[in-house]
Amino acid sequence: MQILPIFLAAITTVLTGCAVFPRSPSVIAGNSPDTLHYESLAFPGSEKTTFDVGKGVITKRYHGHDWDGHDPVVQRRRMPSEVEWKKFWQTMDSLHLWDWKASYYDPDMMDGHAWRMSCCIHSHRIKSDGSNAYPRLGHPQKTTSDNAAFSRLTSALEKLVDPGN
């Protein structure tokens, strides 16, 4: 019965406006995302780091303590190779990025770390954010204070912008 999975995928696409993402990165391996935005904001102090991807180029920016209203400092900008994108997507697949919840929050903490990640490639989209809470490594539908999955995401982005890192 191969028709049922195809039918369910088609219904999901129509209802959500987004295709069902296969569990293998092979569909997008080697491709840069259409858009990607990541930001990490530390409190107190309000230091913000962002990564943005457009047209295959990744840009890392640092926004200092007084970033509100000031231009960020571009720390690095480069165009990763197809092989580098493939490794990035393999890491994202191991993190189950496409299964991340929309929000991860610890309501008991005010200061600390806020983050946001959005990515679109072809018809696949993810938007997720959090404050002092993260997707649990291996179980992204669960919330944890352990930032292991988030750290792997950050490391993968750092490797795209600075392969020697």
Side-chain angles (χ1 to χ4, degrees):
M1 273 272 147
Q2 292 290 352
I3 295 173
L4 184 59
I6 294 169
F7 175 74
L8 292 175
I11 293 297
T12 302
T13 301
V14 169
L15 292 176
T16 66
C18 190
V20 175
F21 184 76
R23 293 292 171 240
S24 168
S26 62
V27 173
I28 57 175
N31 293 318
S32 69
D34 301 320
T35 61
L36 181 147
H37 176 75
Y38 159 104
E39 63 184 62
S40 175
L41 181 60
F43 291 105
S46 300
E47 292 183 4
K48 181 167 79 169
T49 301
T50 62
F51 290 88
D52 291 288
V53 176
K55 298 182 181 177
V57 175
I58 185 165
T59 303
K60 178 182 180 183
R61 294 180 181 90
Y62 172 76
H63 310 251
H65 294 288
D66 59 350
W67 59 268
D68 193 24
H70 293 85
D71 290 336
V73 174
V74 173
Q75 289 186 311
R76 184 114 168 126
R77 177 180 286 141
R78 70 181 290 272
M79 183 176 285
S81 70
E82 187 174 314
V83 170
E84 290 168 320
W85 281 117
K86 183 176 181 179
K87 288 179 184 176
F88 174 79
W89 291 121
Q90 287 171 339
T91 300
M92 295 306 99
D93 190 54
S94 74
L95 296 175
H96 306 280
L97 176 69
W98 306 106
D99 296 329
W100 286 17
K101 296 188 308 185
S103 296
Y104 299 86
Y105 284 94
D106 180 347
D108 298 325
M109 266 186 106
M110 299 307 284
D111 284 341
H113 180 236
W115 60 273
R116 182 175 309 161
M117 169 68 175
S118 63
C119 182
C120 175
I121 182 164
H122 308 305
S123 60
H124 311 298
R125 291 175 170 73
I126 182 70
K127 285 186 180 181
S128 187
D129 58 49
S131 180
N132 299 308
Y134 311 90
R136 185 171 165 191
L137 188 59
H139 302 281
Q141 290 300 309
K142 296 184 178 183
T143 301
T144 182
S145 60
D146 180 7
N147 70 351
F150 190 79
S151 292
R152 288 179 61 186
L153 165 65
T154 304
S155 293
L157 289 165
E158 288 284 357
K159 286 180 183 173
L160 285 175
V161 79
D162 185 4
N165 185 6

